[in-house]
């Protein structure tokens, strides 16, 4: 129990400090502690569900979350995430690991690509958002990450939405995708409820202190730390999944 609390606090702290989903922190950490990949994914989805609901509630209170605009993306994400239990059950861990690594690689590449903020934002296309949500929900939740790592480049780079709009849509998406991913993986038997909920609650504490530190660090330094973190995770996961043993 104490180990789970420590893991949760560390996950929440780095998630809040780096501004990333807990999955890219928690899944590698659990693997190095000896958890099987599919169990680590289940625990990560549990933590993600709790933190996204809490974070979205805070954003809604501050007026940063527009529920109407995010509904089609969120519903698509919910439907896609509902398949995650089946995907995890029948997909070899090597392939799941490769998908995880691909998402981390996308995050690294984004550091070197500057997307110009559009002057005029196109109207919300609910059909496109639904299908994007479905695809990202099915893929991202199946490897224990929230999906914002894919949502942001798609909405900003291809649909030409402004970053502020994208952040609002992504937050709401993660709530739906993680909740339905949790249900799907529960049915498939991949959730360790005790570890998942302890880590989830503890992560909320860590997030509070991580966010406080984030506001004290210079933006350029913060960006470099985040890039180093992703590169470290990328190679650590390659070692753990494909080279060790």
């Amino acid at each position: 129990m104490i180990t789970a609390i420590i893991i949760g606090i560390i996950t929440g702290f780095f998630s809040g400090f780096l501004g990333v989903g807990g999955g890219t922190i928690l899944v590698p950490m659990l693997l190095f502690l000896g958890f099987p990949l599919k169990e680590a994914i289940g625990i990560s989805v549990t933590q993600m569900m709790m933190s996204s609901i809490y974070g979205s509630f805070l954003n809604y209170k501050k007026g940063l979350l527009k529920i109407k605009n995010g509904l089609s993306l969120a519903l698509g994400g919910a439907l896609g995430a509902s398949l995650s239990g089946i995907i995890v059950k029948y997909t070899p861990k090597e392939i799941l690991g490769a998908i995880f690594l691909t998402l981390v690689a996308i995050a690294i590449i984004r550091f070197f690509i500057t997307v110009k903020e559009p002057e005029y934002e196109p109207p919300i296309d609910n059909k496109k958002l639904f299908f994007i949500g479905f695809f990202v929900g099915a893929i991202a939740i199946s490897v224990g990450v929230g999906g914002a790592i894919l949502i942001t480049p798609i909405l900003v780079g291809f649909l030409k939405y402004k970053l502020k709009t994208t952040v609002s849509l992504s937050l709401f998406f993660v709530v739906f995708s993680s909740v339905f991913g949790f249900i799907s993986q529960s049915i498939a038997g991949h959730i360790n409820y005790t570890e998942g909920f302890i880590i989830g609650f503890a992560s909320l504490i860590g997030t509070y202190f991580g966010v406080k530190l984030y506001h004290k660090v210079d933006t350029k330094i913060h960006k470099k730390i985040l890039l180093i973190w992703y590169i470290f995770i990328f190679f650590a996961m390659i070692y753990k999944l494909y080279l060790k043993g």
Side-chain angles (χ1 to χ4, degrees), residues 117-122 155-156 160-167:
E117 184 82 348
E119 284 186 51
Y120 303 101
E121 188 174 65
L155 297 191
V156 173
K160 306 301 180 185
Y161 289 163
K162 292 185 177 180
L163 190 58
K164 188 176 180 181
T165 302
T166 299
V167 170

Side-chain angles (χ1 to χ4, degrees), residues 148-195:
I149 200 170
L150 279 175
I151 290 287
T152 300
I154 291 173
L155 297 191
V156 173
F158 294 102
L159 296 188
K160 306 301 180 185
Y161 289 163
K162 292 185 177 180
L163 190 58
K164 188 176 180 181
T165 302
T166 299
V167 170
S168 175
L169 292 170
S170 297
L171 285 170
F172 199 45
F173 165 84
V174 174
V175 173
F176 273 66
S177 62
S178 60
V179 169
F180 279 81
F182 174 81
I183 294 170
S184 178
Q185 298 205 33
S186 294
I187 294 171
H190 298 141
I191 303 290
N192 182 327
Y193 297 100
T194 303
E195 301 285 350

Side-chain angles (χ1 to χ4, degrees), residues 72-85:
S72 57
L73 183 72
L75 290 175
L79 186 60
S82 297
L83 303 176
S84 65

